[in-house]
Amino acid sequence: MRNIKNLSYLFIISLSWTTILKAQETEDLTRYVNPNIGTAHSRYFFYTPAATPFGMAKLAPSTNGSYGNASGWEAVGYDERHQSIEGFPNFHEFQIGGIVFAPTTGRLQTQPGKLGEIERGYRSAFDKKDEYATAGYYRVYLKDYKVKAELTATERVGFHRYTFPSTDSANIIFDIGHQMGESGPVVDAAVHYEDQVVKGYVVTKPAYVQKYQPNARVTLYFYAELDKKPSAFGTFIDSLHYAGKKEAKGKGVGTYLRFHTQEGEQINIKVGLSYTSVENAHQNLIAEASDLSFEEAKQSTHQRWNQYLGRICVKGGKETDKVKFYTGLFHALLGRGLASDVKGYYPKNNGSIGQIPLDQHGKPLHAHYNTDAIWGAFWNLTQLWSIAYPEYYEDWVQSQLLVYKDAGWLGDGIATSKYVSGVGTNFTGLAIAAAYNVGLRNYDVPLAYEAVRKNELISENRIPGAGKLDVGVFVKRGFSPYIPDRTGKPELNRSGSPFGASHTLEYAFSSFAAAQFAKSLGKETDFKTFSSLANAWKTLYDPSTKLIRPKDEAGNFVQDFDPFAPWRGFQEGNAWQYTFYVPHDPRGLVNLIGEKTFNHRLDSIFRESQKNIFGGGKEIDAFAGIQGLYNHGNQPNLHVAWLFHASGRPDLTQKWVHAICDEFYGTDGIHGYGYGQDEDQGQLGAWYVLAGIGLFDVAGLTSPSPSLQIGTPLFDKVTISLPSTTQRGKFIITTKRRTNGPCYTKNAKLNGKRLHMLQLPFTALVKGGNLVLDLVDNRSTL
């Protein structure tokens, strides 16, 4: 009897462990993350698997990071089509890159070499079958050196683990003084080796910093510890080697360490990073990783990714959709990484070091972040932050206000607090106003309003780094005139712009957002001013073509008007695309065009665009598709599929949103985000996440009572759950499907009560609750 009981007990224990392990397995959301998706033509910051959410340390292999970036933003870094790796940079951000480590064996080489000339540098060939990447970890086998390289990271510390063969010539190259990614030319660099520590810095001059702050520089600092003493060491300047020398300074410098290794011996490196000083890089390393092994860091980062990805948990649906969903969410959480140290030090706009206030425990009250332009992010990132990462959104606002306090103007993009306005406009005011609008207010609200108001109205003494230099003429005349560019610097024109029409639409939208901010604070005069400017889009509506049409300096519609022509009045788009750029008043646009005409036109646009995969077809280029009717590969179009809600046809939104999810988005290295489109720090990935959960707001949460349009989720169940310190209740979306095929949302019930429209009040989502969607398989039954 006892044996039977024991067997029963063992069976129960076995069953319990099986259940636990199965539960753990289903909770590992990183298994759906494939960083290699869409890496053809990806930007430098796109491929950084070894990183934490919003981290500073972003480690990755580089296949082409050190050359071929004439304009400062082109696709460099990692390309799916390349077959050799030149090293492993530790910094990957917009306009920021560098601090490259590379393991080799045999003859010492200290220049990376080029793709077609592997033997002339330290780069190595590799096979895709020997490569593995997921959220927080990367591994590859370097064929030329028989070295396995592994990468992981904490927030500010990078971890490298290199497994060598048996050799007396194992090398680790610390390539510090060369251009990498979007960093621009190197101005200065320094390295120093002592007692298994390599430390130093590199000073760079990125292209967009030069454009907006010609005398400003970006400096990257590092402090790296190794767990093995080298048998020899030296410095180098380009290909010149200086054996036994401990330090070097100037462009092109680096350090090399040489080791004797046994077969399978591992050498580990921990590298603390900072934008303020070598000492603060060291302090970051001590605080985050002094007692942490590579495996412990890997596991900790794995857990952190699951925590962040798990804030939006989806069940059911297709496996490929889950891969697209969580890979998209991964990219959205990678962008715009930390710029402040553990003790709250941060780089100021003028190059000095600032201090974020500390709490009673000596911890910074908030963090500071780098950021690419916020252009278009109100249709993806800021909505996602509002829904699932509100504490980051508030820190993002704090970052913008730090720069405003230090330099006097908001910056659309910032790299170590330097202005890097990628497109020459500035939507930071709108994003701050939207944050306030949805109840995110953990910052100096009066200062925030002051900054927003100045950003939207003031032209006097406006600096180039603040963008929208033509805002003065917009405020005065109600539109920005189209003025052809003859300088090569279209962003710096103050009396109009080569993109005057798109600027007019953009400034009208941001004025609307500022109007709601003003009204909430009782600023009635400002509210009226902003509300009037919000209607400026109507000045460019041409009733003869029912299109938005640029106007010249005399106030006349431009002649020889070609609605397909990009760049003539419209930035990165054309009249067909930008006519729908009235997100704050879509019903007003529908009324002008006519509801029937609007629906027919927009539906036809999508049917025609579907032939070109909703963008640039299979052309691998960031600007592929800007001359078409619709271009999902770029920001100005990302709200358009949801506009049918304003014209009484939400079923067409559901139809085309799903078609875009199925056809524009892919799961391989070339067909990922279109075919090599420009995925700006997670914006296209975040769009897919919103589409996947079936929630989106055309107005970017800027309306007086913000709400989300309800579509059809790709999954059977979506659970949005935040830490208890951030939000108390879970919000659960459940779909009642009657078929496995295409479905349409017939009606929605919120907490048991039917909604009269397919609109979810944002306040309801924040409170937590249950949204049940009744789906049908035939639109005729709606």
Side-chain angles (χ1 to χ4, degrees):
M1 182 66 72
R2 180 176 293 178
N3 288 336
I4 294 174
K5 286 183 177 179
N6 287 341
L7 285 173
S8 299
Y9 178 74
L10 289 172
F11 174 77
I12 292 168
I13 291 294
S14 175
L15 188 63
S16 298
W17 274 110
T18 301
T19 303
I20 291 169
L21 290 172
K22 188 173 182 63
Q24 289 175 339
E25 180 186 350
T26 56
E27 291 172 0
D28 183 14
L29 300 177
T30 65
R31 65 189 175 134
Y32 296 114
V33 175
N34 181 359
N36 286 66
I37 289 174
T39 51
H41 195 83
S42 64
R43 295 276 291 280
Y44 177 69
F45 46 66
F46 177 83
Y47 189 72
T48 55
T52 63
F54 306 123
M56 177 188 294
K58 294 180 178 178
L59 283 60
S62 177
T63 64
N64 174 26
S66 59
Y67 67 97
N69 193 10
S71 301
W73 66 268
E74 282 94 344
V76 294
Y78 183 94
D79 191 315
E80 179 72 15
R81 298 163 293 179
H82 296 165
Q83 297 176 331
S84 64
I85 289 171
E86 63 183 344
F88 304 100
N90 291 276
F91 281 101
H92 287 81
E93 288 285 5
F94 178 60
Q95 300 298 291
I96 295 171
I99 314 298
V100 180
F101 300 169
T104 71
T105 58
R107 183 168 66 93
L108 180 66
Q109 296 190 86
T110 51
Q111 290 184 296
K114 295 189 177 182
L115 284 166
E117 303 172 327
I118 296 177
E119 70 284 350
R120 299 187 64 179
Y122 59 69
R123 73 166 57 238
S124 171
F126 75 104
D127 288 333
K128 289 293 181 183
K129 66 180 178 61
D130 297 323
E131 182 184 50
Y132 175 75
T134 188
Y137 175 71
Y138 176 83
R139 179 182 72 239
V140 71
Y141 182 73
L142 303 176
K143 292 170 60 178
D144 292 337
Y145 305 120
K146 297 180 173 60
V147 172
K148 181 172 72 172
E150 298 173 273
L151 311 172
T152 191
T154 59
E155 286 188 312
R156 300 172 181 86
V157 180
F159 289 74
H160 299 245
R161 182 164 68 187
Y162 304 138
T163 304
F164 286 93
S166 176
T167 179
D168 61 359
S169 58
N171 311 302
I172 299 180
I173 311 301
F174 294 79
D175 193 345
I176 309 305
H178 291 109
Q179 179 174 341
M180 175 54 59
E182 297 183 353
S183 66
V186 170
V187 177
D188 190 19
V191 287
H192 183 274
Y193 169 73
E194 188 84 46
D195 296 331
Q196 297 174 220
V197 170
V198 179
K199 59 186 178 181
Y201 63 84
V202 59
V203 183
T204 67
K205 194 164 66 171
Y208 281 84
V209 172
Q210 293 181 60
K211 181 184 293 187
Y212 297 108
Q213 291 182 257
N215 298 319
R217 304 289 184 265
V218 168
T219 304
L220 316 177
Y221 300 89
F222 74 100
Y223 185 99
E225 294 180 345
L226 295 93
D227 64 355
K228 183 179 175 68
K229 186 175 182 179
S231 59
F233 59 85
T235 61
F236 62 84
I237 299 178
D238 296 325
S239 60
L240 299 176
H241 306 157
Y242 303 92
K245 190 174 181 182
K246 290 186 174 181
E247 57 185 349
K249 192 174 186 298
K251 292 187 289 185
V253 303
T255 291
Y256 67 86
L257 306 180
R258 174 158 284 193
F259 304 85
H260 296 287
T261 56
Q262 302 299 315
E263 184 68 33
E265 184 175 355
Q266 296 176 339
I267 297 178
N268 288 275
I269 308 172
K270 301 177 188 178
V271 54
L273 305 173
S274 175
Y275 294 112
T276 60
S277 71
V278 171
E279 176 55 31
N280 285 334
H282 188 197
Q283 291 301 317
N284 290 341
L285 189 154
I286 292 172
E288 293 185 6
S290 59
D291 298 320
L292 213 59
S293 70
F294 185 97
E295 282 300 323
E296 289 169 337
K298 177 184 172 185
Q299 289 302 315
S300 174
T301 300
H302 177 262
Q303 293 172 5
R304 189 175 180 87
W305 271 110
N306 270 317
Q307 290 167 358
Y308 274 73
L309 296 172
R311 292 196 184 185
I312 307 178
C313 185
V314 300
K315 301 291 184 183
K318 296 185 292 187
E319 289 294 294
T320 53
D321 288 346
K322 289 181 181 177
V323 170
K324 294 178 186 179
F325 183 90
Y326 283 112
T327 301
L329 185 53
F330 162 77
H331 281 298
L333 297 176
L334 268 183
R336 304 159 201 274
L338 273 169
S340 54
D341 300 317
V342 291
K343 294 186 176 180
Y345 298 113
Y346 73 96
K348 296 179 70 172
N349 177 269
N350 64 6
S352 63
I353 299 174
Q355 171 68 66
I356 295 169
L358 306 177
D359 65 16
Q360 58 184 353
H361 304 294
K363 294 183 178 181
L365 292 177
H366 60 85
H368 184 47
Y369 294 91
N370 292 302
T371 171
D372 192 359
I374 207 72
W375 199 57
F378 30 78
W379 291 321
N380 37 70
L381 290 176
T382 61
Q383 291 190 46
L384 180 61
W385 298 344
S386 299
I387 291 169
Y389 308 97
E391 77 279 22
Y392 175 81
Y393 198 173
E394 288 180 323
D395 271 13
W396 180 88
V397 174
Q398 296 273 29
S399 289
Q400 308 308 315
L401 295 182
L402 278 182
V403 174
Y404 178 75
K405 286 189 290 185
D406 293 342
W409 295 88
L410 292 172
D412 192 41
I414 51 177
T416 66
S417 298
K418 312 303 186 297
Y419 292 114
V420 286
S421 179
V423 290
T425 63
N426 192 324
F427 271 110
T428 304
L430 182 148
I432 293 174
Y436 182 88
N437 206 32
V438 295
L440 301 178
R441 301 170 184 179
N442 185 27
Y443 45 84
D444 185 336
V445 171
L447 181 70
Y449 180 75
E450 174 191 308
V452 170
R453 185 184 188 280
K454 186 175 183 181
N455 193 55
E456 303 306 325
L457 295 178
I458 306 303
S459 61
E460 185 178 1
N461 299 320
R462 194 177 186 99
I463 61 174
K468 57 194 305 179
L469 296 187
D470 55 337
V471 72
V473 68
F474 167 78
V475 171
K476 182 178 180 180
R477 301 189 63 182
F479 73 99
S480 177
Y482 165 68
I483 301 177
D485 177 51
R486 296 182 176 87
T487 66
K489 296 180 179 180
E491 302 92 342
L492 305 184
N493 199 320
R494 294 177 183 269
S495 57
S497 172
F499 318 125
S502 59
H503 283 191
T504 299
L505 300 171
E506 292 172 344
Y507 301 170
F509 182 25
S510 56
S511 293
F512 175 81
Q516 314 320 312
F517 198 0
K519 187 173 184 179
S520 296
L521 297 178
K523 312 280 187 181
E524 286 299 322
T525 301
D526 285 354
F527 170 70
K528 292 177 182 178
T529 298
F530 284 128
S531 296
S532 176
L533 292 172
N535 287 317
W537 67 272
K538 295 177 181 178
T539 66
L540 299 187
Y541 179 77
D542 176 12
S544 68
T545 60
K546 295 184 181 292
L547 292 168
I548 295 294
R549 184 171 176 177
K551 283 186 174 180
D552 60 23
E553 287 186 277
N556 300 316
F557 285 124
V558 296
Q559 300 302 304
D560 302 320
F561 175 55
D562 178 2
F564 285 96
W567 304 111
R568 189 170 187 248
F570 303 98
Q571 188 155 27
E572 300 184 20
N574 58 31
W576 280 114
Q577 296 170 16
Y578 268 101
T579 290
F580 298 104
Y581 202 116
V582 192
H584 57 295
D585 190 12
R587 188 63 210 178
L589 179 65
V590 171
N591 289 340
L592 280 179
I593 295 175
E595 189 173 280
K596 185 177 180 179
T597 301
F598 182 94
N599 285 328
H600 176 72
R601 175 191 285 183
L602 190 52
D603 189 45
S604 299
I605 283 173
F606 280 113
R607 280 190 276 110
E608 190 64 28
S609 299
Q610 190 173 26
K611 300 174 185 176
N612 221 26
I613 321 176
F614 300 105
K618 294 186 178 181
E619 181 182 355
I620 299 177
D621 185 86
F623 291 134
I626 64 171
Q627 73 287 344
L629 292 166
Y630 175 82
N631 180 24
H632 195 78
N634 212 4
Q635 287 91 332
N637 290 209
L638 294 180
H639 67 300
V640 174
W642 291 85
L643 286 174
F644 291 107
H645 277 263
S647 59
R649 292 297 304 274
D651 59 303
L652 290 176
T653 282
Q654 295 161 38
K655 172 186 175 181
W656 291 118
V657 165
H658 279 207
I660 292 167
C661 288
D662 289 343
E663 299 168 35
F664 178 86
Y665 291 86
T667 57
D668 62 53
I670 296 178
H671 182 197
Y673 298 88
Y675 280 76
Q677 291 288 292
D678 187 3
E679 163 59 311
D680 282 317
Q681 289 202 312
Q683 289 201 34
L684 291 176
W687 187 96
Y688 188 96
V689 171
L690 294 172
I693 65 176
L695 298 175
F696 186 91
D697 182 26
V698 166
L701 302 176
T702 62
S703 300
S705 299
S707 62
L708 297 150
Q709 290 84 67
I710 298 171
T712 304
L714 296 172
F715 310 100
D716 298 335
K717 185 177 181 181
V718 177
T719 303
I720 301 169
S721 54
L722 279 62
S724 58
T725 54
T726 306
Q727 178 175 310
R728 289 191 296 273
K730 294 182 179 181
F731 191 82
I732 300 172
I733 304 170
T734 306
T735 59
K736 291 185 176 181
R737 298 179 183 271
R738 306 178 190 181
T739 177
N740 292 325
C743 291
Y744 300 87
T745 299
K746 182 176 184 178
N747 58 61
K749 289 184 178 180
L750 176 62
N751 298 326
K753 295 182 179 180
R754 183 168 177 173
L755 296 172
H756 297 295
M757 298 177 64
L758 292 180
Q759 298 274 350
L760 174 69
F762 190 82
T763 53
L765 185 148
V766 172
K767 291 177 183 177
N770 292 276
L771 179 67
V772 178
L773 305 180
D774 186 20
L775 309 185
V776 296
D777 60 355
N778 192 324
R779 282 189 292 142
S780 64
T781 62
L782 293 175

